Amino acid sequence: MPAGPLAEPAESLAQEALSRPVRGGNAFEETLARLLQLIRLGIVAPGEALAPERELAARFEVSRDTVREAIRSLSDAGYLESRRGRYGGTFVCDPLPTGAAGPAEVGPAASGPALTADELDDILTLRAVLEVGAARAAASRALTAAERERLNARLIELRAAAADDYRRLDSRLHLTIAELSGSPSLVSLIAENRMAVNRLLDRIPLLAPNIAHSDEQHEQIVWAVLIGDADRAAAAMAEHLAGSQSLLRAFLS
């Protein structure tokens, strides 16, 4: 029987970062947005269970009614489903709704709101600062055996990804590198930025030569992190992000 997927740690830094207390007067909207981030970024993958309502309410510091309404809304939209019985709970739908996890465009760039050059620069500059720093920080830490195994597993699953699941698993790899930095605040910033980046990536074609090149670069980044070469990890990440920037600017500028 094939081995099952590598189990997630009890609480990943990405889950922790996106499970901080909701602030402001829009408790329902913010709670729904946090849950959707967990799904769209692949932190809770299709087929996996959300934490129980009481835990989510405690983490977000909102009422259980608010969490329940957010879950119900995402269930109505096809993102979540409830299961009864001993192993019941709220699970991420598998498959997700069309367009829920960054679908691969195979034709011309998808339409969307006009994006100014300054807005594009802002998103991509922030991404470079955050993710290059995360790669350097991850490579500078003494990783545990479990952390090393998890990072390698993320690379393997991305290399085997189907086109329609590539961007979700790409996000998971990048967020895992961020988690290995050891900084929940950095993970939170990268997760928020990644949502913006994914919205841009959804508007351009998923090109096979670029995916092959990205896979090679991902291997270089992961290898540098695993051997603890911070300079090489930062340089490999910078080169990788520069390629994505070139494509995004070519299609969206």
Side-chain angles (χ1 to χ4, degrees), residues 142-166:
L143 303 180
T144 66
E147 288 174 329
R148 298 169 70 86
E149 185 180 0
R150 181 157 56 97
L151 178 59
N152 191 54
R154 292 287 173 263
L155 178 64
I156 291 172
E157 71 180 5
L158 178 58
R159 289 207 61 131
D164 61 357
D165 209 21
Y166 187 88

Side-chain angles (χ1 to χ4, degrees), residues 17-249:
L18 293 179
S19 298
R20 291 179 173 179
V22 166
R23 302 300 183 191
N26 300 309
F28 166 75
E29 290 81 2
E30 287 297 320
T31 299
L32 188 148
R34 295 284 187 85
L35 294 176
L36 194 54
Q37 277 187 308
L38 289 170
I39 297 167
R40 287 182 62 90
L41 291 174
I43 298 168
V44 184
E48 292 182 349
L50 290 181
E53 288 180 4
R54 63 180 182 279
E55 291 185 21
L56 292 171
R59 294 175 183 181
F60 295 147
E61 294 186 2
V62 298
S63 70
R64 288 187 67 175
D65 285 344
T66 297
V67 171
R68 193 172 295 117
E69 285 298 321
I71 288 175
R72 183 179 297 117
S73 296
L74 289 174
S75 297
D76 291 344
Y79 289 87
L80 297 172
E81 62 179 357
S82 295
R83 300 178 190 171
R84 298 185 180 277
R86 182 177 179 184
Y87 300 105
T90 301
F91 292 79
V92 178
C93 290
D94 187 6
L96 287 166
T98 302
E105 295 290 345
V106 295
S111 61
L115 191 72
T116 69
D118 286 344
E119 289 170 334
L120 183 60
D121 285 342
D122 181 52
I123 294 170
L124 297 181
T125 298
L126 180 60
R127 184 190 188 196
V129 170
L130 294 175
E131 295 212 36
V132 171
R136 179 180 294 279
S140 299
R141 289 183 62 240
L143 303 180
T144 66
E147 288 174 329
R148 298 169 70 86
E149 185 180 0
R150 181 157 56 97
L151 178 59
N152 191 54
R154 292 287 173 263
L155 178 64
I156 291 172
E157 71 180 5
L158 178 58
R159 289 207 61 131
D164 61 357
D165 209 21
Y166 187 88
R167 284 176 178 154
R168 180 181 68 84
L169 295 178
D170 183 37
S171 294
R172 278 167 68 95
L173 174 63
H174 281 259
L175 282 170
T176 297
I177 293 169
E179 289 175 358
L180 296 181
S181 73
S183 170
S185 295
L186 180 57
V187 174
S188 181
L189 291 171
I190 288 178
E192 181 178 355
N193 176 256
R194 184 73 196 201
M195 291 291 289
V197 170
N198 282 354
R199 285 193 291 270
L200 299 180
L201 290 171
D202 286 350
R203 295 166 59 181
I204 72 173
L206 191 65
L207 306 172
N210 173 246
I211 296 307
H213 189 211
S214 290
D215 284 343
E216 293 174 1
Q217 292 176 327
H218 287 141
E219 285 193 1
Q220 294 171 12
I221 296 166
V222 168
W223 178 73
V225 170
L226 291 176
I227 67 172
D229 190 330
D231 289 341
R232 186 170 295 184
M237 181 65 82
E239 181 179 352
H240 174 56
L241 298 182
S244 294
Q245 287 185 20
S246 295
L247 283 180
L248 287 167
R249 293 184 192 282

